[in-house]
Amino acid sequence: MRILVHEFVSGGGLVGQVVQPSLLREGRAMLTALVSDLAAIPGHRIVTTTDPRFPLIVPDAVEVVAFRASAATFRALIRSADAVWLVAPETGGCLARLSARVERSGVRLLGSTSSAIRRASDKAALPSRLARIGIAHPTTRIGAVGGPRGLLRGIARDLGYPIVVKPARGAGCDGVWLARNARELGHAVDQIRQDHGLGVAVFQRYVPGTPASVALLADGKRALALSVNGQRISRTGPFSYRGGITPLAHPLSKQAAQAAVRACESIAGLRGYVGVDLVLTRTEAVVIEVNPRLTTAYLGVRAALAGSGHNVAAMALAACRGILPRKPPVIDRSVRFTAGGRILP
């Protein structure tokens, strides 16, 4: 099977534009790891795209195509493949839009459906979805980023400081701020309006605890947790993801995995590799977001399983065909990793 892998940020989706260094670092690390894992599976030919500004180091068997964000070129690349694996941010509906193009082409999409991506990435609607199935989620308010300051004061009274402010549709830590007072809240809203051009933002009560994520496999209906991972998050200025540890040793790791599975299964059409972000408090696992795509935690999961013969990409391909493992692989090695994919001693 000829598989096209397109990572939007490092793969040419932003040619001619300034690329945020953190997104480039994470995107390129995920792409390099993913195509290496796919190339190791017998019977597949792997082709990937690259922004000419950002050369890739990949196995010789991987075909690399310079891509310059042309819709016609992208359609031709899709038609040349038997299947397409997309890695792109949810920001501005990017991942859902690209996935819909693949669906319209009739070529097999190795990942979540575009409708599932839209539901999972709608941060404004996620709180009510999780509430219906009894999953803990931060107290949330939705507000206009260009509205009167009186609206912000009302939100602050409801939530209490500190407040997490984020775009209604975004990816990871991109555009996420922690406001500790009214001045910082106004600054966060101004930055989101300037950087994302959105009409609304999501305001959430800050949940103190251990930042974590769960890596899952999904077949469109069911989900299986592969690992619970720790996250290192910088909250100086906008949030910044610095890497993590796989697996995370925490008293609530089991509850985190269970909550992530239920959150994933509440959104029909999630397939392949899926990530769920949480905060683990002293008493509960609080789900923050559902990421309908490859996440940076993939780097830690694949490294932790490297000695066991398990190929996470192969398991994700099987999940897209409706085949989930009967139980998750045993992880007997702890791995610390950076956002750029470097494995730490």
Side-chain angles (χ1 to χ4, degrees):
M1 180 164 65
R2 180 177 170 88
I3 300 175
L4 168 65
V5 180
H6 176 57
E7 197 286 310
F8 181 79
V9 176
S10 67
L14 296 174
V15 165
Q17 302 179 43
V18 175
V19 178
Q20 186 175 326
S22 61
L23 292 180
L24 172 62
R25 181 177 63 247
E26 293 177 34
R28 187 158 50 178
M30 285 189 287
L31 175 62
T32 302
L34 177 59
V35 297
S36 297
D37 290 346
L38 289 172
I41 306 171
H44 297 309
R45 291 177 297 150
I46 312 304
V47 57
T48 191
T49 62
T50 184
D51 185 320
R53 295 175 293 176
F54 312 124
L56 284 176
I57 300 176
V58 295
D60 291 340
V62 176
E63 179 185 348
V64 180
V65 177
F67 180 66
R68 291 177 172 81
S70 160
T73 303
F74 189 53
R75 284 194 297 269
L77 284 170
I78 293 172
R79 288 195 297 267
S80 73
D82 300 306
V84 178
W85 190 322
L86 299 169
V87 184
E90 299 95 313
T91 308
C94 177
L95 179 58
R97 184 170 59 252
L98 293 176
S99 298
R101 287 185 188 176
V102 178
E103 290 170 337
R104 289 194 296 270
S105 75
V107 173
R108 184 177 179 184
L109 177 64
L110 298 175
S112 301
T113 65
S114 59
S115 59
I117 292 168
R118 284 191 291 270
R119 291 193 297 272
S121 59
D122 188 347
K123 299 179 183 182
L126 186 62
S128 58
R129 178 181 298 278
L130 295 177
R132 286 196 296 270
I133 56 176
I135 292 180
H137 185 71
T139 303
T140 301
R141 298 289 182 270
I142 311 300
V145 295
R149 291 304 188 193
L151 176 62
L152 293 184
R153 289 194 293 270
I155 290 173
R157 283 194 301 270
D158 286 348
L159 298 180
Y161 290 107
I163 298 171
V164 176
V165 190
K166 63 181 73 172
R169 290 185 182 272
C173 292
D174 184 29
V176 182
W177 295 79
L178 183 65
R180 301 171 181 84
N181 51 53
R183 180 183 60 80
E184 291 184 355
L185 181 60
H187 177 72
V189 168
D190 290 342
Q191 285 298 124
I192 289 174
R193 180 174 60 245
Q194 175 182 316
D195 296 340
H196 296 268
L198 300 172
V200 297
V202 175
F203 303 82
Q204 294 180 328
R205 180 175 295 161
Y206 175 70
V207 178
T210 302
S213 72
V214 178
L216 305 105
L217 299 173
D219 67 2
K221 296 180 180 179
R222 303 170 298 147
L224 174 80
L226 285 176
S227 69
V228 179
N229 318 289
Q231 295 182 327
R232 291 190 296 118
I233 306 291
S234 170
R235 300 180 181 88
T236 303
F239 281 24
S240 175
Y241 177 76
R242 299 299 178 87
I245 184 170
T246 300
L248 173 66
H250 191 281
L252 296 185
S253 289
K254 182 177 180 180
Q255 290 92 321
Q258 292 171 341
V261 167
R262 292 179 59 209
C264 186
E265 291 181 342
S266 73
I267 303 174
L270 291 180
R271 289 196 306 249
Y273 184 101
V274 178
V276 173
D277 293 331
L278 311 91
V279 171
L280 306 184
T281 72
R282 294 168 60 183
T283 59
E284 61 183 351
V286 181
V287 170
I288 304 297
E289 293 179 2
V290 177
N291 303 302
R293 53 172 170 79
L294 205 70
T295 66
T296 313
Y298 178 88
L299 305 171
V301 178
R302 71 188 291 266
L305 290 172
S308 65
H310 292 283
N311 184 320
V312 182
M315 289 190 285
L317 288 179
C320 290
R321 299 196 306 269
I323 303 170
L324 294 179
R326 295 183 63 182
K327 58 182 180 180
V330 175
I331 299 178
D332 54 11
R333 175 192 178 202
S334 179
V335 171
R336 295 190 305 134
F337 57 94
T338 68
R342 186 164 60 92
I343 304 302
L344 301 173

